[in-house]
Amino acid sequence: MSGWDLKPEGISGALEKTAEVARGLEKKVKSYSDNLESAAKSAGTLAMGGERPEAGLVGAALAQFAEGTQKDLQFVAARSGKSLEGATNATKAYLAGDLAMAEEAQREALKAPDLNLGKGGNGGNGGPDK
């Protein structure tokens, strides 16, 4: 017997809530990117005569920070998606196993009964002894 005691309704609710949080994370990542870009542009520059650079030292540092954290954020988003998918697939497999067990029990119940219990000789198939 399995040590699992899954309740599909509870799992479904948890997956829905987690998916909602993951969607919120996508929005926050977009906002994060936009805010970093805005901060970099607003940080000002040091113009020592001549042409004014697009971004100053703070802007350059923010750009490097964004570049360095971009893969981490992408990983978090991808990991969230794969975790949700894995939990969904595991639940489906569990439920399919329950259905398979129920089908097997039904098949066994529909077989002809063995009238020679304990007498041997027919292999338990319900046929006459030889």
Side-chain angles (χ1 to χ4, degrees):
M1 180 170 148
S2 168
W4 293 18
D5 185 19
L6 302 180
K7 300 196 177 9
E9 304 81 25
I11 294 169
S12 177
L15 289 173
E16 287 173 15
K17 287 178 185 176
T18 305
E20 186 178 322
V21 170
R23 284 188 295 274
L25 180 62
E26 288 176 18
K27 291 177 186 174
K28 288 184 186 340
V29 168
K30 172 72 172 122
S31 174
Y32 167 82
S33 175
D34 292 346
N35 288 333
L36 272 178
E37 185 177 331
S38 175
K41 288 180 181 176
S42 298
T45 60
L46 293 174
M48 302 292 208
E51 203 171 303
R52 182 176 175 182
E54 189 174 314
L57 294 175
V58 173
L62 286 171
Q64 284 182 326
F65 176 77
E67 188 177 307
T69 59
Q70 181 177 7
K71 287 188 184 209
D72 293 337
L73 290 172
Q74 289 172 339
F75 177 83
V76 168
R79 171 54 56 210
S80 297
K82 287 188 68 73
S83 294
L84 283 167
E85 181 181 352
T88 300
N89 291 342
T91 302
K92 286 178 181 176
Y94 174 80
L95 293 174
D98 272 0
L99 293 175
M101 285 186 277
E103 288 172 3
E104 179 62 23
Q106 188 175 24
R107 267 194 299 280
E108 288 298 316
L110 292 175
K111 286 183 179 178
D114 183 3
L115 300 178
N116 296 310
L117 297 175
K119 294 184 180 176
N122 67 3
N125 66 6
D129 281 343
K130 293 185 179 179

